[in-house]
Tab-separated table of all heavy atoms in Angstrom:
chain	number	residue	atom	x	y	z
A	29	GLY	N	129.781	87.520	-56.184
A	29	GLY	CA	128.663	88.424	-56.465
A	29	GLY	C	128.033	88.169	-57.814
A	29	GLY	O	126.817	88.214	-57.956
A	34	ASN	N	123.737	85.844	-61.131
A	34	ASN	CA	123.264	84.846	-62.204
A	34	ASN	C	122.231	83.916	-61.545
A	34	ASN	O	121.244	83.572	-62.187
A	34	ASN	CB	124.440	84.036	-62.732
A	34	ASN	CG	125.335	84.874	-63.592
A	34	ASN	OD1	124.918	85.837	-64.255
A	34	ASN	ND2	126.622	84.460	-63.735
A	45	ALA	N	106.997	85.673	-64.550
A	45	ALA	CA	106.859	87.096	-64.502
A	45	ALA	C	105.871	87.556	-63.418
A	45	ALA	O	106.043	88.588	-62.762
A	45	ALA	CB	106.422	87.627	-65.853
A	53	THR	N	107.124	94.595	-56.469
A	53	THR	CA	106.180	95.524	-55.983
A	53	THR	C	106.166	95.634	-54.473
A	53	THR	O	105.942	96.692	-53.916
A	53	THR	CB	104.716	95.149	-56.484
A	53	THR	OG1	104.702	95.145	-57.869
A	53	THR	CG2	103.691	96.140	-55.999
A	54	LYS	N	106.557	94.553	-53.828
A	54	LYS	CA	106.581	94.603	-52.353
A	54	LYS	C	107.742	95.550	-51.872
A	54	LYS	O	107.704	96.021	-50.749
A	54	LYS	CB	106.908	93.167	-51.797
A	54	LYS	CG	105.614	92.315	-51.906
A	54	LYS	CD	105.839	90.950	-51.424
A	54	LYS	CE	104.633	90.043	-51.525
A	54	LYS	NZ	104.866	88.657	-50.975
A	62	SER	N	106.264	106.281	-49.409
A	62	SER	CA	107.104	107.098	-48.642
A	62	SER	C	107.310	108.409	-49.503
A	62	SER	O	107.339	109.583	-48.972
A	62	SER	CB	108.464	106.515	-48.319
A	62	SER	OG	109.298	107.357	-47.580
A	65	LYS	N	104.246	110.716	-49.452
A	65	LYS	CA	104.184	111.490	-48.217
A	65	LYS	C	105.167	112.650	-48.188
A	65	LYS	O	104.819	113.786	-47.924
A	65	LYS	CB	104.373	110.610	-47.017
A	65	LYS	CG	103.307	109.572	-46.807
A	65	LYS	CD	103.655	108.600	-45.605
A	65	LYS	CE	102.542	107.566	-45.491
A	65	LYS	NZ	102.874	106.591	-44.382
A	70	ASP	N	100.010	112.949	-50.172
A	70	ASP	CA	98.968	112.459	-49.215
A	70	ASP	C	98.103	113.623	-48.845
A	70	ASP	O	96.842	113.456	-48.844
A	70	ASP	CB	99.620	111.918	-47.901
A	70	ASP	CG	100.099	110.452	-48.062
A	70	ASP	OD1	100.237	110.022	-49.251
A	70	ASP	OD2	100.187	109.782	-47.101
A	82	ALA	N	94.414	105.263	-53.770
A	82	ALA	CA	94.730	105.747	-55.074
A	82	ALA	C	95.905	105.039	-55.628
A	82	ALA	O	95.977	104.679	-56.858
A	82	ALA	CB	94.992	107.287	-55.010
A	86	LEU	N	96.095	102.667	-58.860
A	86	LEU	CA	97.078	102.943	-59.954
A	86	LEU	C	97.874	101.694	-60.314
A	86	LEU	O	98.118	101.374	-61.462
A	86	LEU	CB	97.950	104.107	-59.576
A	86	LEU	CG	98.970	104.560	-60.632
A	86	LEU	CD1	98.261	105.093	-61.893
A	86	LEU	CD2	99.880	105.621	-60.092
A	100	GLU	N	101.015	92.559	-76.762
A	100	GLU	CA	101.160	93.285	-78.042
A	100	GLU	C	102.559	93.373	-78.555
A	100	GLU	O	102.785	93.245	-79.803
A	100	GLU	CB	100.590	94.702	-77.852
A	100	GLU	CG	100.657	95.559	-79.092
A	100	GLU	CD	100.264	97.042	-78.843
A	100	GLU	OE1	100.117	97.403	-77.654
A	100	GLU	OE2	100.174	97.743	-79.795
A	108	ARG	N	106.439	88.595	-88.815
A	108	ARG	CA	106.449	87.110	-88.691
A	108	ARG	C	106.214	86.533	-87.342
A	108	ARG	O	106.046	85.374	-87.192
A	108	ARG	CB	107.853	86.652	-89.136
A	108	ARG	CG	108.339	87.127	-90.489
A	108	ARG	CD	109.821	87.014	-90.638
A	108	ARG	NE	110.553	87.733	-89.648
A	108	ARG	CZ	111.896	87.701	-89.532
A	108	ARG	NH1	112.586	87.039	-90.344
A	108	ARG	NH2	112.444	88.465	-88.637
A	177	THR	N	108.502	102.359	-74.269
A	177	THR	CA	107.055	102.225	-74.092
A	177	THR	C	106.588	103.203	-72.984
A	177	THR	O	107.390	103.570	-72.087
A	177	THR	CB	106.722	100.761	-73.577
A	177	THR	OG1	107.440	100.502	-72.372
A	177	THR	CG2	107.080	99.758	-74.623
A	192	VAL	N	107.650	105.308	-67.997
A	192	VAL	CA	108.367	105.258	-69.324
A	192	VAL	C	109.519	104.281	-69.176
A	192	VAL	O	110.274	104.399	-68.295
A	192	VAL	CB	108.917	106.686	-69.769
A	192	VAL	CG1	109.648	106.538	-71.074
A	192	VAL	CG2	107.733	107.728	-69.858
A	240	ALA	N	130.755	82.078	-79.270
A	240	ALA	CA	129.560	82.971	-79.345
A	240	ALA	C	128.625	82.846	-78.180
A	240	ALA	O	127.440	83.093	-78.258
A	240	ALA	CB	128.821	82.838	-80.628
A	265	VAL	N	121.260	106.692	-55.008
A	265	VAL	CA	122.045	105.429	-54.736
A	265	VAL	C	122.552	104.874	-55.970
A	265	VAL	O	121.864	104.837	-57.096
A	265	VAL	CB	121.124	104.446	-53.990
A	265	VAL	CG1	121.820	103.083	-53.879
A	265	VAL	CG2	120.735	104.894	-52.628
A	283	ARG	N	121.477	111.997	-49.811
A	283	ARG	CA	120.148	111.864	-49.256
A	283	ARG	C	119.768	113.160	-48.515
A	283	ARG	O	120.652	113.801	-47.918
A	283	ARG	CB	120.136	110.619	-48.256
A	283	ARG	CG	121.134	110.793	-47.192
A	283	ARG	CD	121.355	109.459	-46.352
A	283	ARG	NE	120.156	109.263	-45.489
A	283	ARG	CZ	120.104	108.244	-44.627
A	283	ARG	NH1	121.105	107.376	-44.452
A	283	ARG	NH2	119.052	108.088	-43.731
A	292	VAL	N	116.669	104.462	-47.809
A	292	VAL	CA	117.923	104.082	-48.565
A	292	VAL	C	118.003	102.664	-48.873
A	292	VAL	O	118.434	102.252	-50.017
A	292	VAL	CB	119.182	104.510	-47.686
A	292	VAL	CG1	120.411	104.023	-48.257
A	292	VAL	CG2	119.130	106.059	-47.429
A	338	LYS	N	129.144	66.359	-112.498
A	338	LYS	CA	129.304	64.895	-112.660
A	338	LYS	C	129.377	64.210	-111.301
A	338	LYS	O	129.846	64.767	-110.335
A	338	LYS	CB	130.674	64.638	-113.303
A	338	LYS	CG	130.753	65.160	-114.827
A	338	LYS	CD	132.085	64.863	-115.419
A	338	LYS	CE	132.200	65.312	-116.817
A	338	LYS	NZ	133.494	65.056	-117.459
A	348	GLU	N	134.955	81.234	-94.896
A	348	GLU	CA	135.718	82.389	-94.410
A	348	GLU	C	134.747	83.457	-93.772
A	348	GLU	O	134.114	84.242	-94.463
A	348	GLU	CB	136.389	83.036	-95.603
A	348	GLU	CG	137.392	82.125	-96.300
A	348	GLU	CD	137.770	82.674	-97.691
A	348	GLU	OE1	137.094	83.423	-98.278
A	348	GLU	OE2	138.836	82.152	-98.154
A	350	ARG	N	133.564	86.643	-91.788
A	350	ARG	CA	133.920	88.023	-91.594
A	350	ARG	C	132.875	88.850	-90.907
A	350	ARG	O	131.682	88.725	-91.139
A	350	ARG	CB	134.229	88.758	-92.960
A	350	ARG	CG	135.308	88.027	-93.779
A	350	ARG	CD	136.649	88.178	-93.203
A	350	ARG	NE	137.698	87.632	-94.023
A	350	ARG	CZ	138.235	86.370	-93.914
A	350	ARG	NH1	137.734	85.621	-92.928
A	350	ARG	NH2	139.187	85.990	-94.645
A	361	THR	N	135.467	79.273	-84.883
A	361	THR	CA	135.355	78.027	-85.523
A	361	THR	C	134.232	77.924	-86.631
A	361	THR	O	133.392	78.853	-86.615
A	361	THR	CB	135.137	76.821	-84.571
A	361	THR	OG1	133.843	77.096	-83.896
A	361	THR	CG2	136.190	76.742	-83.556
A	416	PHE	N	124.434	71.176	-103.768
A	416	PHE	CA	125.135	70.353	-104.777
A	416	PHE	C	124.109	69.387	-105.383
A	416	PHE	O	123.204	68.893	-104.719
A	416	PHE	CB	126.303	69.496	-104.153
A	416	PHE	CG	127.335	70.366	-103.474
A	416	PHE	CD1	127.116	70.891	-102.220
A	416	PHE	CD2	128.527	70.595	-104.121
A	416	PHE	CE1	128.135	71.606	-101.581
A	416	PHE	CE2	129.504	71.356	-103.543
A	416	PHE	CZ	129.352	71.850	-102.265
A	436	SER	N	116.454	82.902	-128.343
A	436	SER	CA	117.049	82.110	-127.215
A	436	SER	C	116.914	80.633	-127.654
A	436	SER	O	116.114	80.234	-128.461
A	436	SER	CB	116.374	82.385	-125.938
A	436	SER	OG	115.032	82.021	-126.008
A	443	ASP	N	127.709	68.924	-120.448
A	443	ASP	CA	128.887	67.992	-120.682
A	443	ASP	C	128.865	67.442	-122.139
A	443	ASP	O	129.854	66.813	-122.543
A	443	ASP	CB	128.841	66.809	-119.752
A	443	ASP	CG	129.051	67.261	-118.312
A	443	ASP	OD1	129.774	68.236	-118.116
A	443	ASP	OD2	128.471	66.666	-117.387
A	453	TYR	N	117.593	80.593	-140.323
A	453	TYR	CA	118.701	80.276	-141.215
A	453	TYR	C	119.985	79.847	-140.577
A	453	TYR	O	121.027	79.530	-141.302
A	453	TYR	CB	118.951	81.532	-142.058
A	453	TYR	CG	117.811	82.069	-142.823
A	453	TYR	CD1	117.173	83.253	-142.512
A	453	TYR	CD2	117.273	81.340	-143.926
A	453	TYR	CE1	116.117	83.784	-143.162
A	453	TYR	CE2	116.240	81.852	-144.633
A	453	TYR	CZ	115.558	83.039	-144.246
A	453	TYR	OH	114.499	83.534	-144.908
A	462	SER	N	135.342	72.157	-121.132
A	462	SER	CA	135.411	72.290	-119.618
A	462	SER	C	134.007	72.843	-119.124
A	462	SER	O	133.145	73.110	-119.978
A	462	SER	CB	136.540	73.174	-119.144
A	462	SER	OG	136.223	74.512	-119.388
A	465	GLY	N	133.670	76.605	-120.563
A	465	GLY	CA	133.671	77.004	-121.945
A	465	GLY	C	133.903	75.809	-122.903
A	465	GLY	O	133.873	74.722	-122.515
A	503	ALA	N	135.014	85.275	-139.814
A	503	ALA	CA	133.795	84.709	-140.367
A	503	ALA	C	133.780	84.918	-141.878
A	503	ALA	O	134.056	86.122	-142.323
A	503	ALA	CB	132.558	85.350	-139.706
Side-chain angles (χ1 to χ4, degrees):
N34 290 334
T53 301
K54 289 179 181 179
S62 183
K65 293 175 183 178
D70 277 23
L86 182 64
E100 179 187 11
R108 302 164 301 178
T177 59
V192 179
V265 171
R283 56 188 289 186
V292 173
K338 293 180 180 180
E348 301 163 340
R350 300 290 183 266
T361 61
F416 299 81
S436 63
D443 296 327
Y453 303 110
S462 73

